[in-house]
């Protein structure tokens, strides 16, 4: 099995090392192509307005000065002689839950893989305490990664779907198990815009996210994480809302 690893935290991120260790238990045919710098919050953006530089670190290890989507595109279209059987994106430093998946470069890299018809899985490690930087513990992901991935390798993925995995912010032995979940709802109130003053006296703004999640729905990713489970959410690329489609057809086309 040929596996492509990517992420949105960058080629040097500790979570990518964790993912390499997880993937090495599944295969020895591992390719890596990741952004050269952190791209958290890049979503599914594709770089169109400037050239993208590619750097080779090893025979199968590359970085691109671009987004996670750029990295996957480069790997599939330029680097790998044969397409991978599996794309793993992560392990992200921090949660990718509920509607936040639309901001996520980690999840979007898996979206890109799903578009290419490749089995694609995003992995994220939730953390409990803000301000830990690169010291976020990946213990739950490191310990549970293989167990949560293995069943996903034995089932067919429907076309244009992917799987989004989140590991709870708990020591591995305190994780209660694995739950299959639906995408939950982001509480929009938890976003923040922090204002500061730069060294030249001009104001700047920094977008942040509070650590408070609101569990509004049963069987959601948020609920599973809050209850101490690994969350496994199948997602799809087709965002069409079927009921609205029918209602709008009636309104416009009578
Ligand atoms: Mn990230």
């Amino acid at each position: 099995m040929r596996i492509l690893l990517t992420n949105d935290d960058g080629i040097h991120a500790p979570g990518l090392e964790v993912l390499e260790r997880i993937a090495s238990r599944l295969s020895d045919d591992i390719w890596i192509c990741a952004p050269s710098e952190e791209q958290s919050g890049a979503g599914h953006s594709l770089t169109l307005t400037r050239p993208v530089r590619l750097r080779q670190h090893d025979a199968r290890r590359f970085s691109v000065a671009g987004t996670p989507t750029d990295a996957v595109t480069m790997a599939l279209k330029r680097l790998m002689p044969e397409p991978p059987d599996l794309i793993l994106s992560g392990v992200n430093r921090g949660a990718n839950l509920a509607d936040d998946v639309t901001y996520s470069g980690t999840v979007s890299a898996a979206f890109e893989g799903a578009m290419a018809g490749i089995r694609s899985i995003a992995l994220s490690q939730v953390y409990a305490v803000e301000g830990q930087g690169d010291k976020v513990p990946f213990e739950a992901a490191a310990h549970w990664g293989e167990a949560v991935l293995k069943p996903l390798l034995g089932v067919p993925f429907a076309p244009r779907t992917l799987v989004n995995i989140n590991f709870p912010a708990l020591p591995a032995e305190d994780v209660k198990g694995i739950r299959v979940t639906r995408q939950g709802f982001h509480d929009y109130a938890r976003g923040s815009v922090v204002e500061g003053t730069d060294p030249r006296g001009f104001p700047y703004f920094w977008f942040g996210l509070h650590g408070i999640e609101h569990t509004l729905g049963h069987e959601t990713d948020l609920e599973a994480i809050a209850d101490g489970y690994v969350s496994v959410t199948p997602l799809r690329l087709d965002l069409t809302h079927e009921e609205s489609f029918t209602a709008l057809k009636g309104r416009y086309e009578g």
Side-chain angles (χ1 to χ4, degrees):
M1 179 170 57
R2 193 177 309 108
I3 308 179
L4 171 64
L5 308 184
T6 191
N7 73 356
D8 79 357
D9 292 332
I11 188 79
H12 301 299
L16 185 58
E17 277 180 47
V18 175
L19 187 61
E20 283 185 69
R21 286 202 294 276
I22 295 168
S24 70
R25 285 179 224 128
L26 303 171
S27 172
D28 55 8
D29 190 359
I30 292 172
W31 293 66
I32 298 170
C33 187
S36 55
E37 298 289 338
E38 181 173 352
Q39 294 286 324
S40 295
H44 201 178
S45 63
L46 175 68
T47 298
L48 296 173
T49 54
R50 58 181 175 78
V52 171
R53 303 286 177 183
L54 172 69
R55 191 167 170 201
Q56 182 161 14
H57 302 267
D58 208 335
R60 295 179 182 179
R61 187 183 193 91
F62 302 85
S63 62
V64 292
T67 67
T69 297
D70 296 341
V72 172
T73 304
M74 191 73 85
L76 299 185
K77 300 207 168 178
R78 293 301 299 243
L79 301 176
M80 302 182 71
E82 303 283 342
D85 305 296
L86 174 68
I87 296 177
L88 300 175
S89 178
V91 178
N92 188 58
R93 182 205 300 111
N96 278 309
L97 296 164
D99 302 320
D100 287 348
V101 297
T102 59
Y103 299 120
S104 170
T106 305
V107 176
S108 295
F111 270 121
E112 188 68 15
M115 279 171 63
I118 295 159
R119 183 181 304 252
S120 297
I121 301 169
L123 304 97
S124 302
Q125 172 67 61
V126 184
Y127 57 82
V129 183
E130 297 285 343
Q132 294 176 102
D134 269 345
K135 294 188 182 64
V136 166
F138 283 91
E139 204 194 311
H143 188 271
W144 285 81
E146 187 183 3
V148 72
L149 284 176
K150 277 208 160 147
L152 293 174
L153 306 181
V155 293
F157 279 23
R160 304 172 74 76
T161 67
L162 61 127
V163 169
N164 183 34
I165 298 171
N166 280 266
F167 300 93
L170 291 171
E173 66 271 21
D174 293 342
V175 175
K176 289 188 188 151
I178 301 168
R179 274 189 186 162
V180 177
T181 59
R182 294 189 174 84
Q183 183 185 318
F185 306 92
H186 170 123
D187 174 10
Y188 199 74
R190 80 190 179 90
S192 61
V193 181
V194 176
E195 183 171 1
T197 306
D198 76 13
R200 297 169 64 216
F202 294 99
Y204 67 81
F205 300 90
W206 210 306
F207 302 121
L209 296 170
H210 303 302
I212 306 157
E213 298 276 5
H214 288 244
T215 300
L216 300 174
H218 182 48
E219 294 191 325
T220 62
D221 48 7
L222 294 172
E223 183 189 64
I225 290 297
D227 290 350
Y229 289 82
V230 178
S231 168
V232 176
T233 314
L235 298 176
R236 63 176 166 195
L237 275 162
D238 181 354
L239 301 177
T240 310
H241 189 250
E242 286 299 331
E243 287 163 27
S244 300
F245 175 81
T246 305
L248 289 177
K249 255 188 118 55
R251 182 152 293 232
Y252 285 103
E253 299 174 18

